[in-house]
Amino acid sequence: MTQKDITFVADFLTEHFNEAPELYNRKGKYFNVERVGQYLKDEDDDLVSPPNTEGNQWFNFLKDSAHLKESPLLFPYYPEKSLHFVKRQMEGVIDQCLQKPADVIGKSVHQAVCISLYKISQSEDSTPQLFKLPFLWNDKTSNLHYVLFTMLENSISKIHILRRHTDTSRSVSNGILAVEFGNFLNNSINESSDSRCYSCLDAHFYDDETVTVVLKESVQQEGKERVLAQLPLS
């Protein structure tokens, strides 16, 4: 260690660990602890050196506001407690707030339809990831709910669109369909079907009537072409 390091440690001990007779009556608290560390202790004891809130603009603002001072919307402040204590208190309040909605929503959710997308062999050790890029969109005008996704393996050039009515008692035509890009960007019918084959990198709804897709050439070569295309749902 250099002399500068030793001086730094000595100054730290001198500043934070001076004897404090006024703390002798507190169990194990004979010295002022380092002021940052006390906030991080996971215990319910009061802080040894609580912060000085005098002149704090926020506290003065609350003190002068009769409406905010008693408002149940403001989380109470515990100036004598550590951050761990406050975190546990806040988690308890949040859990309490979310419990009732979770119960109500959970009881109201039910399966509307079951569609088999693919089957895999039961003997396989690890299940391959075949489902990719799920993107949800809700068309409030037509009360339709969409899911965009792609399937890997043999259908990388296709994007699948699942459409359901938000009223589960009603059905819509073409509930699920696939759009294949393949070689649709070929300049002429004379081009080889394998020369310009495209797969979908990403897909999102642009608005209620348009889907935006990012395509790439499937051929294994440098400088693969990327295409940003907007396709009307119609």
Side-chain angles (χ1 to χ4, degrees):
M1 298 177 65
T2 64
Q3 185 61 40
K4 184 178 180 180
D5 296 329
I6 297 175
T7 303
F8 176 78
V9 173
D11 290 342
F12 179 87
L13 295 175
T14 302
E15 179 180 354
H16 295 291
F17 292 92
N18 289 330
E19 290 190 24
E22 69 275 9
L23 300 178
Y24 283 175
N25 60 343
R26 297 183 57 173
K27 182 180 178 181
K29 306 294 185 183
Y30 301 138
F31 301 93
N32 286 323
V33 298
E34 195 268 315
R35 294 194 174 190
V36 174
Q38 65 177 346
Y39 289 100
L40 306 178
K41 291 184 177 180
D42 191 4
E43 57 187 29
D44 293 338
D45 294 341
D46 291 347
L47 298 176
V48 177
S49 301
N52 180 14
T53 59
E54 184 179 353
N56 186 291
Q57 293 179 347
W58 174 248
F59 292 118
N60 292 340
F61 172 68
L62 292 182
K63 193 183 302 181
D64 297 337
S65 173
H67 297 289
L68 287 177
K69 189 161 41 176
E70 305 298 330
S71 173
L73 300 178
L74 291 178
F75 194 81
Y77 177 60
Y78 303 95
E80 305 289 334
K81 298 296 184 179
S82 72
L83 293 178
H84 276 283
F85 176 86
V86 176
K87 176 176 177 287
R88 284 197 300 272
Q89 293 291 110
M90 183 175 288
E91 286 176 340
V93 173
I94 293 175
D95 288 343
Q96 185 178 3
C97 291
L98 296 179
Q99 187 58 47
K100 186 67 175 178
D103 292 341
V104 174
I105 295 173
K107 292 176 182 177
S108 67
V109 172
H110 64 277
Q111 179 177 301
V113 64
C114 180
I115 300 176
S116 178
L117 296 177
Y118 59 85
K119 293 182 180 180
I120 59 172
S121 172
Q122 297 293 332
S123 61
E124 293 185 17
D125 296 333
S126 60
T127 303
Q129 181 193 4
L130 298 179
F131 191 73
K132 189 182 178 186
L133 292 179
F135 178 76
L136 308 180
W137 180 266
N138 183 247
D139 183 352
K140 295 181 176 61
T141 305
S142 304
N143 295 324
L144 294 174
H145 194 69
Y146 291 89
V147 183
L148 290 179
F149 61 93
T150 58
M151 304 282 287
L152 303 182
E153 302 297 328
N154 296 327
S155 56
I156 59 174
S157 63
K158 295 179 183 178
I159 181 173
H160 296 73
I161 304 176
L162 172 65
R163 180 173 63 174
R164 297 288 303 173
H165 203 285
T166 52
D167 181 357
T168 56
S169 63
R170 301 178 59 183
S171 62
V172 294
S173 60
N174 296 329
I176 184 170
L177 55 84
V179 179
E180 183 169 9
F181 300 105
N183 57 356
F184 79 110
L185 289 177
N186 286 354
N187 294 326
S188 71
I189 59 175
N190 296 325
E191 289 191 34
S192 169
S193 60
D194 297 329
S195 62
R196 298 280 295 279
C197 190
Y198 289 85
S199 59
C200 182
L201 281 178
D202 200 359
H204 281 217
F205 266 81
Y206 181 76
D207 56 28
D208 289 342
E209 301 175 350
T210 311
V211 176
T212 301
V213 295
V214 179
L215 306 172
K216 73 168 182 176
E217 280 190 285
S218 300
V219 294
Q220 298 295 329
Q221 65 181 27
E222 291 296 328
K224 292 181 181 178
E225 184 177 357
R226 299 292 193 272
V227 177
L228 179 68
Q230 288 195 302
L231 307 176
L233 275 181
S234 58

